[in-house]
Amino acid sequence: MANAWKRDKPTRLLSPKLLFLLFSSTLLLFFCFAFLTSRPSNRNPTLISLKAFNAISPFDCARSPQARPVVANAVEGLRYPFIFSLSDFGTLPDKPHKNIVRMLKGKPFRKPDISVTVQELLEKAKAQGRDGFFVDVGANVGMASFAASAMGFRVLAFEPVFENLQKICEGIYFNRVADLVTVFEAAASDRIGNITVHKLIGRLDNSAISATGAKMAFKSNEEIAFQVRTIPLDEVIPKSESVLLLKIDVQGWEYHVLKGASKLLSRKGSQAPYLIYEEDERLLRASNSSAKEIRDFLRSVGYHDCTQHGTDAHCVKKD
């Protein structure tokens, strides 16, 4: 018949690509649980945990909404392996993040350089019989924090972006390190208060205090501005507690973080932490500071030995 209804094509509920992704996700979950149940415990039950803070309360992972989807895996080639959760998936399904591609091929995530550095430095401290905190400022999704906690070290992690905090909470659960990692929803700075942070559309896991710095760092012109709490490290870290390593990666805000940790950095000799901070002159200028200003400040608190490692500076006090 000329006016007959055309038959609708049958709907395909599950494409082969989606079935493949679902199957791969199932394998991933199995791998993660096998990893967690097989890894030896390396925690010291006598380590004290900080339960009370005068200036700020820790972020409560138990009350945080669960992010979804969750894509997590172990990292490759570390002496102390750990699991972390991706916050950037790329463009699915056409251009997934490189770590998702690795996972679908049965490979672990590529190890982040900072994780290697953190474990090497803390391994030296461990060999010397030293114990103390690792302080992670600009923790992102916790790759440096989990590198330290996998070794049994206590961690104070500072991160202002909520999406990142969700991923850190996932990592705390996956790695079973709730007794070692304390997280703060704040931007470390040189004063108590609030400040505007800029995070980029499509890259909500990354942020910067300076809008110009955010655009330079992440190559995007679209951003969202939001208010976050600021806190000096000196207001959080007790004088009685040892800090072995301080890592700062805050897209140009490093000078303000260091100023807010002047008491910590003024500790004598080996009591002062080994310091790693990003020293990118473009990002520093976007936040009205400079590498020279930072180096001058560090000399004023006793750090005279600094070396450059790519865009990072490593500084240490000698006895």
Side-chain angles (χ1 to χ4, degrees), residues 233-243 263-264 267 271:
L233 294 181
D234 283 339
E235 295 292 332
V236 180
I237 301 171
K239 297 178 181 178
S240 59
E241 293 293 344
S242 171
V243 176
K263 292 180 181 178
L264 170 64
R267 294 181 183 181
Q271 296 178 17

Side-chain angles (χ1 to χ4, degrees), residues 154-213:
R154 296 166 292 169
V155 177
L156 300 180
F158 295 80
E159 175 56 47
V161 178
F162 181 74
E163 289 85 355
N164 278 356
L165 291 165
Q166 289 180 303
K167 297 301 177 183
I168 292 173
C169 289
E170 289 168 3
I172 288 173
Y173 173 75
F174 290 147
N175 293 288
R176 304 297 193 264
V177 290
D179 57 334
L180 295 176
V181 180
T182 303
V183 189
F184 298 96
E185 185 180 12
S189 190
D190 52 356
R191 65 192 65 185
I192 296 175
N194 295 282
I195 200 167
T196 300
V197 169
H198 302 266
K199 60 183 180 181
L200 302 184
I201 296 174
R203 292 294 304 273
L204 298 183
D205 58 312
N206 286 304
S207 63
I209 303 295
S210 163
T212 303

Side-chain angles (χ1 to χ4, degrees), residues 93-197:
D94 299 322
K95 294 181 179 180
H97 188 280
K98 61 184 179 182
N99 271 330
I100 294 179
V101 176
R102 289 177 61 88
M103 180 189 70
L104 295 178
K105 292 180 179 178
K107 298 180 179 180
F109 285 170
R110 191 178 301 279
K111 62 183 176 184
D113 291 341
I114 187 61
S115 301
V116 178
T117 301
V118 166
Q119 290 196 351
E120 288 177 349
L121 291 170
L122 292 178
E123 187 79 79
K124 292 178 182 178
K126 201 171 190 178
Q128 297 169 356
R130 300 173 60 204
D131 185 30
F133 281 98
F134 167 56
V135 179
D136 190 0
V137 179
N140 197 264
V141 298
M143 291 175 287
S145 292
F146 298 134
S149 60
M151 300 176 68
F153 286 97
R154 296 166 292 169
V155 177
L156 300 180
F158 295 80
E159 175 56 47
V161 178
F162 181 74
E163 289 85 355
N164 278 356
L165 291 165
Q166 289 180 303
K167 297 301 177 183
I168 292 173
C169 289
E170 289 168 3
I172 288 173
Y173 173 75
F174 290 147
N175 293 288
R176 304 297 193 264
V177 290
D179 57 334
L180 295 176
V181 180
T182 303
V183 189
F184 298 96
E185 185 180 12
S189 190
D190 52 356
R191 65 192 65 185
I192 296 175
N194 295 282
I195 200 167
T196 300
V197 169

Side-chain angles (χ1 to χ4, degrees), residues 49-111:
S49 60
L50 302 178
K51 297 182 179 179
F53 296 88
N54 294 326
I56 187 173
S57 298
F59 185 75
D60 188 351
C61 285
R63 295 179 179 271
S64 172
Q66 173 64 54
R68 59 183 186 272
V70 177
V71 178
N73 202 350
V75 297
E76 66 174 358
L78 289 176
R79 181 172 181 181
Y80 303 90
F82 61 90
I83 292 173
F84 77 90
S85 182
L86 283 183
S87 55
D88 176 15
F89 302 125
T91 305
L92 296 176
D94 299 322
K95 294 181 179 180
H97 188 280
K98 61 184 179 182
N99 271 330
I100 294 179
V101 176
R102 289 177 61 88
M103 180 189 70
L104 295 178
K105 292 180 179 178
K107 298 180 179 180
F109 285 170
R110 191 178 301 279
K111 62 183 176 184

